[in-house]
Amino acid sequence: MIRTILVALALGCLATPAAAEVVSKSANAFTLRFAVGLETTPEDVIVTVGDLPKWWDPAHTYTGDAANLSLALEEGGCWCERLADGSIFEHATVTAVEPQRVAMNAALGPLHDTATRSDLTFAVGPENRGWLVSMDFVVEGPGVGAYAEAVDGVMSGAWNRFIRYVEYGEDPATSDVTVD
């Protein structure tokens, strides 16, 4: 029993606390940043970004089913959703795929018609004994600052589901674990 407690404490000391915050906000812009240290590989993180249907919350899709989402991890690739009528809605366009970074132009949800800039970036960099995994969302456009808290709420949920899937490969919908 004591050995189990000591192992848990030791592992807890190695973990980096998760950071999730609205980094900046004005009437016409906001920046969100999410980061956590993990014992993973950059490849696992990048592959998980591409496994979007397995970690994105179906409540934040037009069809209510994350299985209708796809993400082509290639420059110009589409984060798309197949709608009930068979048409495709483009949520984002991939602008860069690198060994430790995926960037997208992603005017998600209510930002679709108002954002003039919407950069969503997933990145991995070395940290201590593991990797710092981050997600940054920079949004600019007339009046978009009013959406900062609501978008932060949605993206916090996405972040938690993403990290849970990176770490355990489990369906995040069945987990009560959060990282914020």
PDB file of all heavy atoms in Angstrom, residues 87-127:
ATOM      1  N   SER A  87     -23.984  16.725 -48.548  1.00  0.00           N
ATOM      2  CA  SER A  87     -23.041  17.800 -48.832  1.00  0.00           C
ATOM      3  C   SER A  87     -21.947  17.834 -47.753  1.00  0.00           C
ATOM      4  O   SER A  87     -22.057  17.194 -46.712  1.00  0.00           O
ATOM      5  CB  SER A  87     -23.762  19.150 -48.920  1.00  0.00           C
ATOM      6  OG  SER A  87     -24.338  19.482 -47.673  1.00  0.00           O
ATOM      7  N   ILE A  88     -20.906  18.574 -48.046  1.00  0.00           N
ATOM      8  CA  ILE A  88     -19.753  18.661 -47.146  1.00  0.00           C
ATOM      9  C   ILE A  88     -19.627  20.093 -46.643  1.00  0.00           C
ATOM     10  O   ILE A  88     -19.670  21.050 -47.434  1.00  0.00           O
ATOM     11  CB  ILE A  88     -18.447  18.280 -47.882  1.00  0.00           C
ATOM     12  CG1 ILE A  88     -18.532  16.863 -48.448  1.00  0.00           C
ATOM     13  CG2 ILE A  88     -17.227  18.466 -46.991  1.00  0.00           C
ATOM     14  CD1 ILE A  88     -18.574  15.772 -47.414  1.00  0.00           C
ATOM     15  N   PHE A  89     -19.471  20.245 -45.321  1.00  0.00           N
ATOM     16  CA  PHE A  89     -19.213  21.551 -44.731  1.00  0.00           C
ATOM     17  C   PHE A  89     -17.751  21.583 -44.305  1.00  0.00           C
ATOM     18  O   PHE A  89     -17.283  20.686 -43.613  1.00  0.00           O
ATOM     19  CB  PHE A  89     -20.105  21.813 -43.515  1.00  0.00           C
ATOM     20  CG  PHE A  89     -19.897  23.184 -42.939  1.00  0.00           C
ATOM     21  CD1 PHE A  89     -20.581  24.269 -43.454  1.00  0.00           C
ATOM     22  CD2 PHE A  89     -18.987  23.392 -41.912  1.00  0.00           C
ATOM     23  CE1 PHE A  89     -20.370  25.548 -42.941  1.00  0.00           C
ATOM     24  CE2 PHE A  89     -18.776  24.659 -41.393  1.00  0.00           C
ATOM     25  CZ  PHE A  89     -19.471  25.740 -41.907  1.00  0.00           C
ATOM     26  N   GLU A  90     -17.029  22.610 -44.736  1.00  0.00           N
ATOM     27  CA  GLU A  90     -15.611  22.760 -44.395  1.00  0.00           C
ATOM     28  C   GLU A  90     -15.466  23.619 -43.144  1.00  0.00           C
ATOM     29  O   GLU A  90     -15.723  24.810 -43.169  1.00  0.00           O
ATOM     30  CB  GLU A  90     -14.847  23.388 -45.558  1.00  0.00           C
ATOM     31  CG  GLU A  90     -13.372  23.479 -45.294  1.00  0.00           C
ATOM     32  CD  GLU A  90     -12.590  24.012 -46.473  1.00  0.00           C
ATOM     33  OE1 GLU A  90     -12.803  23.545 -47.609  1.00  0.00           O
ATOM     34  OE2 GLU A  90     -11.770  24.928 -46.251  1.00  0.00           O
ATOM     35  N   HIS A  91     -15.032  22.991 -42.051  1.00  0.00           N
ATOM     36  CA  HIS A  91     -14.806  23.704 -40.790  1.00  0.00           C
ATOM     37  C   HIS A  91     -13.445  24.392 -40.777  1.00  0.00           C
ATOM     38  O   HIS A  91     -13.292  25.452 -40.164  1.00  0.00           O
ATOM     39  CB  HIS A  91     -14.885  22.748 -39.599  1.00  0.00           C
ATOM     40  CG  HIS A  91     -16.246  22.190 -39.367  1.00  0.00           C
ATOM     41  ND1 HIS A  91     -17.242  22.897 -38.742  1.00  0.00           N
ATOM     42  CD2 HIS A  91     -16.786  20.977 -39.687  1.00  0.00           C
ATOM     43  CE1 HIS A  91     -18.330  22.149 -38.666  1.00  0.00           C
ATOM     44  NE2 HIS A  91     -18.087  20.984 -39.243  1.00  0.00           N
ATOM     45  N   ALA A  92     -12.434  23.767 -41.399  1.00  0.00           N
ATOM     46  CA  ALA A  92     -11.077  24.299 -41.357  1.00  0.00           C
ATOM     47  C   ALA A  92     -10.285  23.784 -42.541  1.00  0.00           C
ATOM     48  O   ALA A  92     -10.639  22.770 -43.154  1.00  0.00           O
ATOM     49  CB  ALA A  92     -10.392  23.893 -40.056  1.00  0.00           C
ATOM     50  N   THR A  93      -9.194  24.486 -42.823  1.00  0.00           N
ATOM     51  CA  THR A  93      -8.245  24.062 -43.853  1.00  0.00           C
ATOM     52  C   THR A  93      -6.870  23.949 -43.220  1.00  0.00           C
ATOM     53  O   THR A  93      -6.417  24.872 -42.534  1.00  0.00           O
ATOM     54  CB  THR A  93      -8.186  25.090 -45.005  1.00  0.00           C
ATOM     55  OG1 THR A  93      -9.506  25.247 -45.543  1.00  0.00           O
ATOM     56  CG2 THR A  93      -7.239  24.645 -46.097  1.00  0.00           C
ATOM     57  N   VAL A  94      -6.211  22.832 -43.440  1.00  0.00           N
ATOM     58  CA  VAL A  94      -4.871  22.614 -42.907  1.00  0.00           C
ATOM     59  C   VAL A  94      -3.891  23.486 -43.686  1.00  0.00           C
ATOM     60  O   VAL A  94      -3.876  23.474 -44.918  1.00  0.00           O
ATOM     61  CB  VAL A  94      -4.478  21.127 -43.007  1.00  0.00           C
ATOM     62  CG1 VAL A  94      -3.046  20.907 -42.532  1.00  0.00           C
ATOM     63  CG2 VAL A  94      -5.456  20.266 -42.222  1.00  0.00           C
ATOM     64  N   THR A  95      -3.095  24.256 -42.951  1.00  0.00           N
ATOM     65  CA  THR A  95      -2.113  25.140 -43.595  1.00  0.00           C
ATOM     66  C   THR A  95      -0.684  24.623 -43.462  1.00  0.00           C
ATOM     67  O   THR A  95       0.182  25.025 -44.219  1.00  0.00           O
ATOM     68  CB  THR A  95      -2.195  26.570 -43.022  1.00  0.00           C
ATOM     69  OG1 THR A  95      -1.998  26.514 -41.600  1.00  0.00           O
ATOM     70  CG2 THR A  95      -3.552  27.197 -43.335  1.00  0.00           C
ATOM     71  N   ALA A  96      -0.436  23.719 -42.505  1.00  0.00           N
ATOM     72  CA  ALA A  96       0.908  23.148 -42.345  1.00  0.00           C
ATOM     73  C   ALA A  96       0.817  21.848 -41.555  1.00  0.00           C
ATOM     74  O   ALA A  96       0.052  21.738 -40.608  1.00  0.00           O
ATOM     75  CB  ALA A  96       1.823  24.120 -41.616  1.00  0.00           C
ATOM     76  N   VAL A  97       1.611  20.866 -41.986  1.00  0.00           N
ATOM     77  CA  VAL A  97       1.780  19.622 -41.238  1.00  0.00           C
ATOM     78  C   VAL A  97       3.276  19.366 -41.168  1.00  0.00           C
ATOM     79  O   VAL A  97       3.946  19.242 -42.193  1.00  0.00           O
ATOM     80  CB  VAL A  97       1.078  18.425 -41.913  1.00  0.00           C
ATOM     81  CG1 VAL A  97       1.324  17.139 -41.133  1.00  0.00           C
ATOM     82  CG2 VAL A  97      -0.406  18.684 -42.060  1.00  0.00           C
ATOM     83  N   GLU A  98       3.783  19.348 -39.952  1.00  0.00           N
ATOM     84  CA  GLU A  98       5.208  19.128 -39.705  1.00  0.00           C
ATOM     85  C   GLU A  98       5.330  18.022 -38.660  1.00  0.00           C
ATOM     86  O   GLU A  98       4.336  17.677 -38.016  1.00  0.00           O
ATOM     87  CB  GLU A  98       5.846  20.431 -39.205  1.00  0.00           C
ATOM     88  CG  GLU A  98       5.718  21.565 -40.210  1.00  0.00           C
ATOM     89  CD  GLU A  98       6.021  22.945 -39.618  1.00  0.00           C
ATOM     90  OE1 GLU A  98       6.406  23.019 -38.429  1.00  0.00           O
ATOM     91  OE2 GLU A  98       5.857  23.927 -40.341  1.00  0.00           O
ATOM     92  N   PRO A  99       6.516  17.479 -38.461  1.00  0.00           N
ATOM     93  CA  PRO A  99       6.655  16.393 -37.485  1.00  0.00           C
ATOM     94  C   PRO A  99       6.190  16.743 -36.067  1.00  0.00           C
ATOM     95  O   PRO A  99       5.770  15.857 -35.327  1.00  0.00           O
ATOM     96  CB  PRO A  99       8.151  16.083 -37.499  1.00  0.00           C
ATOM     97  CG  PRO A  99       8.590  16.478 -38.867  1.00  0.00           C
ATOM     98  CD  PRO A  99       7.757  17.689 -39.210  1.00  0.00           C
ATOM     99  N   GLN A 100       6.227  18.027 -35.702  1.00  0.00           N
ATOM    100  CA  GLN A 100       5.824  18.409 -34.357  1.00  0.00           C
ATOM    101  C   GLN A 100       4.774  19.516 -34.337  1.00  0.00           C
ATOM    102  O   GLN A 100       4.574  20.177 -33.327  1.00  0.00           O
ATOM    103  CB  GLN A 100       7.051  18.844 -33.538  1.00  0.00           C
ATOM    104  CG  GLN A 100       8.014  17.690 -33.314  1.00  0.00           C
ATOM    105  CD  GLN A 100       9.221  18.091 -32.492  1.00  0.00           C
ATOM    106  OE1 GLN A 100       9.649  19.230 -32.488  1.00  0.00           O
ATOM    107  NE2 GLN A 100       9.767  17.124 -31.783  1.00  0.00           N
ATOM    108  N   ARG A 101       4.058  19.691 -35.457  1.00  0.00           N
ATOM    109  CA  ARG A 101       3.093  20.790 -35.514  1.00  0.00           C
ATOM    110  C   ARG A 101       2.083  20.583 -36.632  1.00  0.00           C
ATOM    111  O   ARG A 101       2.426  20.154 -37.730  1.00  0.00           O
ATOM    112  CB  ARG A 101       3.867  22.085 -35.753  1.00  0.00           C
ATOM    113  CG  ARG A 101       3.064  23.336 -35.828  1.00  0.00           C
ATOM    114  CD  ARG A 101       4.063  24.513 -35.938  1.00  0.00           C
ATOM    115  NE  ARG A 101       3.565  25.671 -36.564  1.00  0.00           N
ATOM    116  CZ  ARG A 101       3.285  25.891 -37.843  1.00  0.00           C
ATOM    117  NH1 ARG A 101       3.457  24.962 -38.723  1.00  0.00           N
ATOM    118  NH2 ARG A 101       2.852  27.035 -38.278  1.00  0.00           N
ATOM    119  N   VAL A 102       0.815  20.902 -36.316  1.00  0.00           N
ATOM    120  CA  VAL A 102      -0.242  20.959 -37.321  1.00  0.00           C
ATOM    121  C   VAL A 102      -0.922  22.309 -37.157  1.00  0.00           C
ATOM    122  O   VAL A 102      -1.300  22.688 -36.046  1.00  0.00           O
ATOM    123  CB  VAL A 102      -1.299  19.842 -37.136  1.00  0.00           C
ATOM    124  CG1 VAL A 102      -2.454  20.023 -38.107  1.00  0.00           C
ATOM    125  CG2 VAL A 102      -0.680  18.463 -37.298  1.00  0.00           C
ATOM    126  N   ALA A 103      -1.041  23.047 -38.245  1.00  0.00           N
ATOM    127  CA  ALA A 103      -1.695  24.363 -38.205  1.00  0.00           C
ATOM    128  C   ALA A 103      -2.864  24.369 -39.172  1.00  0.00           C
ATOM    129  O   ALA A 103      -2.815  23.735 -40.232  1.00  0.00           O
ATOM    130  CB  ALA A 103      -0.703  25.455 -38.568  1.00  0.00           C
ATOM    131  N   MET A 104      -3.904  25.107 -38.769  1.00  0.00           N
ATOM    132  CA  MET A 104      -5.114  25.182 -39.587  1.00  0.00           C
ATOM    133  C   MET A 104      -5.679  26.596 -39.572  1.00  0.00           C
ATOM    134  O   MET A 104      -5.511  27.318 -38.596  1.00  0.00           O
ATOM    135  CB  MET A 104      -6.203  24.261 -39.019  1.00  0.00           C
ATOM    136  CG  MET A 104      -5.888  22.817 -39.046  1.00  0.00           C
ATOM    137  SD  MET A 104      -7.215  21.879 -38.252  1.00  0.00           S
ATOM    138  CE  MET A 104      -6.273  21.063 -36.980  1.00  0.00           C
ATOM    139  N   ASN A 105      -6.362  26.951 -40.637  1.00  0.00           N
ATOM    140  CA  ASN A 105      -7.225  28.120 -40.657  1.00  0.00           C
ATOM    141  C   ASN A 105      -8.586  27.566 -40.280  1.00  0.00           C
ATOM    142  O   ASN A 105      -9.190  26.835 -41.055  1.00  0.00           O
ATOM    143  CB  ASN A 105      -7.238  28.745 -42.048  1.00  0.00           C
ATOM    144  CG  ASN A 105      -8.121  29.956 -42.118  1.00  0.00           C
ATOM    145  OD1 ASN A 105      -9.026  30.127 -41.311  1.00  0.00           O
ATOM    146  ND2 ASN A 105      -7.879  30.794 -43.103  1.00  0.00           N
ATOM    147  N   ALA A 106      -9.045  27.894 -39.042  1.00  0.00           N
ATOM    148  CA  ALA A 106     -10.206  27.206 -38.483  1.00  0.00           C
ATOM    149  C   ALA A 106     -11.212  28.182 -37.883  1.00  0.00           C
ATOM    150  O   ALA A 106     -11.248  28.388 -36.685  1.00  0.00           O
ATOM    151  CB  ALA A 106      -9.744  26.208 -37.423  1.00  0.00           C
ATOM    152  N   ALA A 107     -12.031  28.772 -38.716  1.00  0.00           N
ATOM    153  CA  ALA A 107     -13.094  29.655 -38.231  1.00  0.00           C
ATOM    154  C   ALA A 107     -14.269  28.785 -37.800  1.00  0.00           C
ATOM    155  O   ALA A 107     -15.251  28.619 -38.514  1.00  0.00           O
ATOM    156  CB  ALA A 107     -13.500  30.638 -39.314  1.00  0.00           C
ATOM    157  N   LEU A 108     -14.149  28.206 -36.615  1.00  0.00           N
ATOM    158  CA  LEU A 108     -15.117  27.224 -36.131  1.00  0.00           C
ATOM    159  C   LEU A 108     -16.401  27.886 -35.634  1.00  0.00           C
ATOM    160  O   LEU A 108     -16.384  28.992 -35.095  1.00  0.00           O
ATOM    161  CB  LEU A 108     -14.497  26.402 -35.003  1.00  0.00           C
ATOM    162  CG  LEU A 108     -13.202  25.672 -35.376  1.00  0.00           C
ATOM    163  CD1 LEU A 108     -12.590  25.028 -34.135  1.00  0.00           C
ATOM    164  CD2 LEU A 108     -13.457  24.629 -36.450  1.00  0.00           C
ATOM    165  N   GLY A 109     -17.504  27.166 -35.781  1.00  0.00           N
ATOM    166  CA  GLY A 109     -18.791  27.586 -35.232  1.00  0.00           C
ATOM    167  C   GLY A 109     -19.176  29.007 -35.585  1.00  0.00           C
ATOM    168  O   GLY A 109     -19.185  29.390 -36.755  1.00  0.00           O
ATOM    169  N   PRO A 110     -19.470  29.828 -34.552  1.00  0.00           N
ATOM    170  CA  PRO A 110     -19.949  31.190 -34.805  1.00  0.00           C
ATOM    171  C   PRO A 110     -18.885  32.100 -35.417  1.00  0.00           C
ATOM    172  O   PRO A 110     -19.204  33.187 -35.882  1.00  0.00           O
ATOM    173  CB  PRO A 110     -20.345  31.691 -33.415  1.00  0.00           C
ATOM    174  CG  PRO A 110     -19.505  30.898 -32.481  1.00  0.00           C
ATOM    175  CD  PRO A 110     -19.373  29.540 -33.119  1.00  0.00           C
ATOM    176  N   LEU A 111     -17.650  31.644 -35.455  1.00  0.00           N
ATOM    177  CA  LEU A 111     -16.569  32.444 -36.032  1.00  0.00           C
ATOM    178  C   LEU A 111     -16.551  32.362 -37.555  1.00  0.00           C
ATOM    179  O   LEU A 111     -15.898  33.168 -38.214  1.00  0.00           O
ATOM    180  CB  LEU A 111     -15.221  31.976 -35.482  1.00  0.00           C
ATOM    181  CG  LEU A 111     -15.094  31.949 -33.962  1.00  0.00           C
ATOM    182  CD1 LEU A 111     -13.797  31.285 -33.549  1.00  0.00           C
ATOM    183  CD2 LEU A 111     -15.210  33.347 -33.402  1.00  0.00           C
ATOM    184  N   HIS A 112     -17.272  31.393 -38.095  1.00  0.00           N
ATOM    185  CA  HIS A 112     -17.223  31.124 -39.535  1.00  0.00           C
ATOM    186  C   HIS A 112     -17.524  32.362 -40.388  1.00  0.00           C
ATOM    187  O   HIS A 112     -16.874  32.580 -41.409  1.00  0.00           O
ATOM    188  CB  HIS A 112     -18.192  29.991 -39.889  1.00  0.00           C
ATOM    189  CG  HIS A 112     -18.065  29.531 -41.297  1.00  0.00           C
ATOM    190  ND1 HIS A 112     -16.992  28.798 -41.748  1.00  0.00           N
ATOM    191  CD2 HIS A 112     -18.861  29.719 -42.369  1.00  0.00           C
ATOM    192  CE1 HIS A 112     -17.139  28.552 -43.027  1.00  0.00           C
ATOM    193  NE2 HIS A 112     -18.269  29.090 -43.431  1.00  0.00           N
ATOM    194  N   ASP A 113     -18.477  33.157 -39.967  1.00  0.00           N
ATOM    195  CA  ASP A 113     -18.858  34.315 -40.777  1.00  0.00           C
ATOM    196  C   ASP A 113     -18.243  35.628 -40.330  1.00  0.00           C
ATOM    197  O   ASP A 113     -18.445  36.652 -40.977  1.00  0.00           O
ATOM    198  CB  ASP A 113     -20.390  34.456 -40.783  1.00  0.00           C
ATOM    199  CG  ASP A 113     -21.066  33.311 -41.512  1.00  0.00           C
ATOM    200  OD1 ASP A 113     -20.485  32.786 -42.485  1.00  0.00           O
ATOM    201  OD2 ASP A 113     -22.168  32.923 -41.086  1.00  0.00           O
ATOM    202  N   THR A 114     -17.492  35.606 -39.192  1.00  0.00           N
ATOM    203  CA  THR A 114     -16.975  36.874 -38.668  1.00  0.00           C
ATOM    204  C   THR A 114     -15.458  36.953 -38.584  1.00  0.00           C
ATOM    205  O   THR A 114     -14.909  38.045 -38.650  1.00  0.00           O
ATOM    206  CB  THR A 114     -17.546  37.152 -37.264  1.00  0.00           C
ATOM    207  OG1 THR A 114     -17.217  36.062 -36.405  1.00  0.00           O
ATOM    208  CG2 THR A 114     -19.047  37.338 -37.299  1.00  0.00           C
ATOM    209  N   ALA A 115     -14.785  35.827 -38.436  1.00  0.00           N
ATOM    210  CA  ALA A 115     -13.330  35.864 -38.249  1.00  0.00           C
ATOM    211  C   ALA A 115     -12.615  36.208 -39.550  1.00  0.00           C
ATOM    212  O   ALA A 115     -12.934  35.679 -40.603  1.00  0.00           O
ATOM    213  CB  ALA A 115     -12.830  34.533 -37.720  1.00  0.00           C
ATOM    214  N   THR A 116     -11.643  37.103 -39.446  1.00  0.00           N
ATOM    215  CA  THR A 116     -10.770  37.403 -40.578  1.00  0.00           C
ATOM    216  C   THR A 116      -9.463  36.636 -40.452  1.00  0.00           C
ATOM    217  O   THR A 116      -8.728  36.490 -41.414  1.00  0.00           O
ATOM    218  CB  THR A 116     -10.471  38.910 -40.653  1.00  0.00           C
ATOM    219  OG1 THR A 116      -9.896  39.344 -39.415  1.00  0.00           O
ATOM    220  CG2 THR A 116     -11.746  39.696 -40.944  1.00  0.00           C
ATOM    221  N   ARG A 117      -9.186  36.149 -39.235  1.00  0.00           N
ATOM    222  CA  ARG A 117      -8.044  35.279 -38.968  1.00  0.00           C
ATOM    223  C   ARG A 117      -8.496  34.282 -37.904  1.00  0.00           C
ATOM    224  O   ARG A 117      -9.129  34.656 -36.929  1.00  0.00           O
ATOM    225  CB  ARG A 117      -6.857  36.079 -38.438  1.00  0.00           C
ATOM    226  CG  ARG A 117      -5.680  35.222 -38.028  1.00  0.00           C
ATOM    227  CD  ARG A 117      -4.554  36.033 -37.406  1.00  0.00           C
ATOM    228  NE  ARG A 117      -3.489  35.147 -36.970  1.00  0.00           N
ATOM    229  CZ  ARG A 117      -2.542  35.504 -36.133  1.00  0.00           C
ATOM    230  NH1 ARG A 117      -2.498  36.737 -35.654  1.00  0.00           N
ATOM    231  NH2 ARG A 117      -1.614  34.646 -35.780  1.00  0.00           N
ATOM    232  N   SER A 118      -8.154  33.023 -38.109  1.00  0.00           N
ATOM    233  CA  SER A 118      -8.519  31.990 -37.130  1.00  0.00           C
ATOM    234  C   SER A 118      -7.516  30.852 -37.219  1.00  0.00           C
ATOM    235  O   SER A 118      -7.748  29.862 -37.893  1.00  0.00           O
ATOM    236  CB  SER A 118      -9.937  31.494 -37.382  1.00  0.00           C
ATOM    237  OG  SER A 118     -10.050  31.055 -38.728  1.00  0.00           O
ATOM    238  N   ASP A 119      -6.394  31.033 -36.562  1.00  0.00           N
ATOM    239  CA  ASP A 119      -5.307  30.061 -36.615  1.00  0.00           C
ATOM    240  C   ASP A 119      -5.385  29.103 -35.435  1.00  0.00           C
ATOM    241  O   ASP A 119      -5.261  29.520 -34.280  1.00  0.00           O
ATOM    242  CB  ASP A 119      -3.953  30.775 -36.592  1.00  0.00           C
ATOM    243  CG  ASP A 119      -3.763  31.701 -37.777  1.00  0.00           C
ATOM    244  OD1 ASP A 119      -4.316  31.405 -38.848  1.00  0.00           O
ATOM    245  OD2 ASP A 119      -3.063  32.714 -37.628  1.00  0.00           O
ATOM    246  N   LEU A 120      -5.577  27.821 -35.729  1.00  0.00           N
ATOM    247  CA  LEU A 120      -5.594  26.768 -34.723  1.00  0.00           C
ATOM    248  C   LEU A 120      -4.345  25.931 -34.927  1.00  0.00           C
ATOM    249  O   LEU A 120      -4.132  25.392 -36.017  1.00  0.00           O
ATOM    250  CB  LEU A 120      -6.850  25.903 -34.866  1.00  0.00           C
ATOM    251  CG  LEU A 120      -6.987  24.715 -33.920  1.00  0.00           C
ATOM    252  CD1 LEU A 120      -7.040  25.173 -32.463  1.00  0.00           C
ATOM    253  CD2 LEU A 120      -8.228  23.901 -34.275  1.00  0.00           C
ATOM    254  N   THR A 121      -3.513  25.833 -33.880  1.00  0.00           N
ATOM    255  CA  THR A 121      -2.243  25.129 -33.997  1.00  0.00           C
ATOM    256  C   THR A 121      -2.079  24.128 -32.866  1.00  0.00           C
ATOM    257  O   THR A 121      -2.243  24.471 -31.696  1.00  0.00           O
ATOM    258  CB  THR A 121      -1.060  26.125 -33.970  1.00  0.00           C
ATOM    259  OG1 THR A 121      -1.256  27.100 -34.995  1.00  0.00           O
ATOM    260  CG2 THR A 121       0.261  25.417 -34.184  1.00  0.00           C
ATOM    261  N   PHE A 122      -1.751  22.913 -33.227  1.00  0.00           N
ATOM    262  CA  PHE A 122      -1.361  21.870 -32.276  1.00  0.00           C
ATOM    263  C   PHE A 122       0.152  21.720 -32.418  1.00  0.00           C
ATOM    264  O   PHE A 122       0.654  21.603 -33.536  1.00  0.00           O
ATOM    265  CB  PHE A 122      -2.022  20.535 -32.615  1.00  0.00           C
ATOM    266  CG  PHE A 122      -3.507  20.522 -32.415  1.00  0.00           C
ATOM    267  CD1 PHE A 122      -4.369  21.003 -33.390  1.00  0.00           C
ATOM    268  CD2 PHE A 122      -4.050  20.025 -31.240  1.00  0.00           C
ATOM    269  CE1 PHE A 122      -5.738  20.982 -33.208  1.00  0.00           C
ATOM    270  CE2 PHE A 122      -5.416  19.997 -31.043  1.00  0.00           C
ATOM    271  CZ  PHE A 122      -6.268  20.483 -32.030  1.00  0.00           C
ATOM    272  N   ALA A 123       0.881  21.701 -31.294  1.00  0.00           N
ATOM    273  CA  ALA A 123       2.337  21.598 -31.356  1.00  0.00           C
ATOM    274  C   ALA A 123       2.856  20.711 -30.234  1.00  0.00           C
ATOM    275  O   ALA A 123       2.200  20.530 -29.201  1.00  0.00           O
ATOM    276  CB  ALA A 123       2.971  22.984 -31.272  1.00  0.00           C
ATOM    277  N   VAL A 124       4.048  20.178 -30.453  1.00  0.00           N
ATOM    278  CA  VAL A 124       4.720  19.328 -29.478  1.00  0.00           C
ATOM    279  C   VAL A 124       6.171  19.781 -29.406  1.00  0.00           C
ATOM    280  O   VAL A 124       6.826  19.952 -30.433  1.00  0.00           O
ATOM    281  CB  VAL A 124       4.694  17.846 -29.921  1.00  0.00           C
ATOM    282  CG1 VAL A 124       5.252  16.953 -28.838  1.00  0.00           C
ATOM    283  CG2 VAL A 124       3.316  17.418 -30.343  1.00  0.00           C
ATOM    284  N   GLY A 125       6.672  19.977 -28.194  1.00  0.00           N
ATOM    285  CA  GLY A 125       8.073  20.353 -28.004  1.00  0.00           C
ATOM    286  C   GLY A 125       8.633  19.681 -26.771  1.00  0.00           C
ATOM    287  O   GLY A 125       7.886  19.328 -25.851  1.00  0.00           O
ATOM    288  N   PRO A 126       9.943  19.468 -26.731  1.00  0.00           N
ATOM    289  CA  PRO A 126      10.537  18.786 -25.585  1.00  0.00           C
ATOM    290  C   PRO A 126      10.343  19.569 -24.292  1.00  0.00           C
ATOM    291  O   PRO A 126      10.372  20.797 -24.283  1.00  0.00           O
ATOM    292  CB  PRO A 126      12.019  18.688 -25.941  1.00  0.00           C
ATOM    293  CG  PRO A 126      12.232  19.578 -27.102  1.00  0.00           C
ATOM    294  CD  PRO A 126      10.916  19.898 -27.709  1.00  0.00           C
ATOM    295  N   GLU A 127      10.107  18.823 -23.211  1.00  0.00           N
ATOM    296  CA  GLU A 127       9.974  19.424 -21.891  1.00  0.00           C
ATOM    297  C   GLU A 127      10.358  18.389 -20.849  1.00  0.00           C
ATOM    298  O   GLU A 127       9.768  17.308 -20.796  1.00  0.00           O
ATOM    299  CB  GLU A 127       8.541  19.884 -21.631  1.00  0.00           C
ATOM    300  CG  GLU A 127       8.404  20.495 -20.254  1.00  0.00           C
ATOM    301  CD  GLU A 127       6.966  20.612 -19.797  1.00  0.00           C
ATOM    302  OE1 GLU A 127       6.293  19.581 -19.680  1.00  0.00           O
ATOM    303  OE2 GLU A 127       6.547  21.738 -19.559  1.00  0.00           O
TER     304      GLU A 127
END
